[in-house]
Amino acid sequence: MTAYDPNNIFAKILKGEIPSTRVYEDEHTIAFMDVMPQAPGHVLVIPRDGSRNILDADPAVLQNTIVVVQKLAVAVKEAFDADGVYVAQFNEPAAGQTVFHLHFHVIPRHEGAALKPHSGTMENFDVLAANAEKIKAVL
Ligand code: AMP
């Protein structure tokens, strides 16, 4: 498998070299708004530790990360009054991965509402910020 690239875009977000709309952070993990949301409230949960995806991740890192995925799933469901929550995680291009730092998509779902395409349209920053505030208010 290709080695982890410490200059990938999420590594730059972790280092504060490029901006993100964060909703949560702790010692091991951060969560921020996806800039091309598939539905309002689409967040990404990433470990601070660098791995390409689930295939090369340290199991201890996975344990810490999934607990935060659960926290964010519960929070986005409440913040967006959703009927369900979609959690997705892709490994390697053949599986749809486009950013090579382990991440989990957490997306609130409403009955009958289709998801927008993956990596589709860039959302307005003010909309992302307003949605982040809704999630932070629940957290
Ligand atoms: P994946 O295909 O699972 O690797 O998904 C990568 C996700 O990262 C996509 O949903 C993109 O919309 C999202 N994304 C890409 N660049 C950024 C960024 N700078 N900030 C937030 N989300 C991003």
Side-chain angles (χ1 to χ4, degrees):
M1 193 166 87
T2 311
Y4 175 74
D5 172 8
N7 289 316
N8 74 76
I9 197 155
F10 290 173
K12 289 183 176 172
I13 284 176
L14 277 164
K15 287 183 270 187
E17 292 174 2
I18 63 167
S20 66
T21 309
R22 293 193 191 196
V23 293
Y24 176 83
E25 57 188 298
D26 64 25
E27 185 186 353
H28 303 292
T29 316
I30 70 168
F32 54 93
M33 305 309 292
D34 193 305
V35 288
M36 290 174 263
Q38 292 185 253
H42 180 170
V43 299
L44 299 169
V45 177
I46 75 171
R48 293 185 188 274
D49 190 67
S51 72
R52 209 171 141 81
N53 53 44
I54 207 169
L55 301 173
D56 60 339
D58 180 336
V61 171
L62 285 175
Q63 286 178 7
N64 290 327
T65 308
I66 201 69
V67 172
V68 177
V69 170
Q70 181 193 38
K71 184 188 282 290
L72 269 295
V74 170
V76 300
K77 185 171 184 299
E78 183 179 335
F80 291 87
D81 195 22
D83 300 309
V85 182
Y86 176 76
V87 174
Q89 190 276 316
F90 308 132
N91 302 285
E92 299 299 317
Q97 187 177 10
T98 60
V99 177
F100 298 95
H101 180 110
L102 175 64
H103 56 277
F104 289 81
H105 298 259
V106 180
I107 309 177
R109 298 296 309 267
H110 294 88
E111 290 291 352
L115 282 184
K116 290 188 199 161
H118 176 234
S119 297
T121 313
M122 194 82 120
E123 185 54 279
N124 178 285
F125 172 79
D126 292 338
V127 172
L128 292 180
N131 288 341
E133 288 309 314
K134 286 187 190 174
I135 298 167
K136 283 168 28 183
V138 172
L139 289 169

